[in-house]
Amino acid sequence: MTDIEKLQKIIDDSDNIVFFGGAGVSTESGIPDFRSVDGLYNMKYKYPPEQIVSRTFYYEKPEEFFRFYKDKLIIKNIKPNKAHIALAKLEKAGKLKAVVTQNIDGLHQLAGSVNVYELHGSTLRNYCEKCHKFYGIEAIERSDGVPMCDCGGRIKPDVVLYEEMLDDNCINGAVRAIADADTLIIGGTSLIVYPAAGFINYFRGRHLVVINRDATSADSMAELVIHDKIGEVLGALKI
């Protein structure tokens, strides 16, 4: 039996699947990850990218923050890939109950997924720090320098920066979904970003599956491990 056939059997046998994913899910849509050889952390800037996307840097050097943010974190003309589409189909079929993602690109929703927990926020949501007015991604894209609201307040992307806490409601929903799942599929994530990576420890179900290009810390615990592109794997399923 091939790995795809094994995965198909697990999915057919499951009624409450949760998918936990990271940057590797979106790389097949042309979005760079952070830690690979070609990732954002290995690009050369005046400041290290991990410093730029911190709360301290955002408030101390907003012009530099938004220069990097608009250049590297807002990717135009992106579309969901086979992984996003397959997960949306699984949800529509009643098999997948939730997607827990570390990504901030909104591609799961664009593909049709509804119950999505975005642990690190989304570039598609932006708020004025003063009056709390909502702005779409266009307000950031079109701004000259630091984006400002009509009221004079600064518009802040609804993404979780380093030194910021994850949203409590999002955490609680994600943990509850994982704890209730009979199958957890971990895909496209190195499992080294905490606290998000620690959420998989709440899983108590029957089937743990890991689909990732490289080895992860969860491989030894998984019933099925597939080291391949997640889009190709999920795209091969019969849903």
Side-chain angles (χ1 to χ4, degrees):
M1 186 180 294
T2 67
D3 286 341
I4 297 296
E5 290 171 336
K6 292 177 183 176
L7 178 59
Q8 186 75 59
K9 188 175 186 302
I10 289 173
I11 288 175
D12 292 343
D13 185 48
S14 303
D15 298 313
N16 187 341
I17 302 170
V18 169
F19 178 80
F20 180 92
V25 179
S26 293
T27 52
E28 291 174 60
S29 291
I31 299 177
D33 65 5
F34 273 70
R35 289 176 172 78
S36 69
V37 173
D38 299 318
L40 293 179
Y41 280 179
N42 290 302
M43 296 180 179
K44 303 301 180 184
Y45 288 92
K46 185 177 179 182
Y47 302 92
E50 58 265 44
Q51 179 183 350
I52 297 175
V53 292
S54 69
R55 179 179 178 85
T56 297
F57 194 93
Y58 170 80
Y59 284 107
E60 290 182 351
K61 299 181 183 296
E63 295 84 2
E64 289 287 340
F65 171 88
F66 279 105
R67 186 176 296 117
F68 175 85
Y69 184 87
K70 286 186 278 189
D71 185 36
K72 294 300 177 185
L73 296 184
I74 295 180
I75 312 296
K76 297 180 181 180
N77 302 317
I78 55 172
K79 295 180 180 179
N81 59 52
K82 294 177 183 178
H84 299 106
I85 294 168
L87 292 168
K89 286 181 178 178
L90 279 174
E91 182 179 12
K92 191 173 183 180
K95 290 279 188 180
L96 184 77
K97 302 305 181 183
V99 169
V100 181
T101 180
Q102 300 171 78
N103 297 337
I104 58 175
D105 49 49
L107 286 177
H108 285 292
Q109 292 93 327
L110 194 58
S113 291
V114 176
N115 195 25
V116 181
Y117 294 100
E118 296 174 304
L119 299 178
H120 297 151
S122 173
T123 60
L124 305 184
R125 298 188 302 268
N126 304 274
Y127 298 92
C128 172
E129 293 179 308
K130 186 176 180 181
C131 73
H132 307 296
K133 179 181 177 180
F134 172 84
Y135 285 90
I137 196 170
E138 299 81 10
I140 306 295
E141 288 179 320
R142 298 172 183 171
S143 65
D144 183 17
V146 178
M148 303 298 290
C149 176
D150 297 335
C151 77
R154 180 167 53 194
I155 301 173
K156 185 179 186 295
D158 186 22
V159 297
V160 179
L161 304 175
Y162 284 113
E163 304 166 351
E164 290 185 331
M165 301 290 289
L166 303 186
D167 179 77
D168 283 342
N169 291 330
C170 186
I171 290 174
N172 293 335
V175 167
R176 193 178 307 115
I178 292 172
D180 291 342
D182 58 18
T183 294
L184 176 62
I185 301 175
I186 300 170
T189 174
S190 58
L191 291 177
I192 61 174
V193 177
Y194 282 81
F199 287 13
I200 67 171
N201 295 326
Y202 290 94
F203 177 64
R204 295 292 183 269
R206 289 179 293 157
H207 306 294
L208 177 61
V209 177
V210 175
I211 308 168
N212 195 53
R213 188 178 57 187
D214 304 311
T216 77
S217 58
D219 288 10
S220 61
M221 301 178 286
E223 173 184 346
L224 177 62
V225 178
I226 304 176
H227 289 155
D228 202 348
K229 292 182 178 180
I230 189 166
E232 297 302 316
V233 174
L234 296 184
L237 295 173
K238 296 176 182 178
I239 303 170

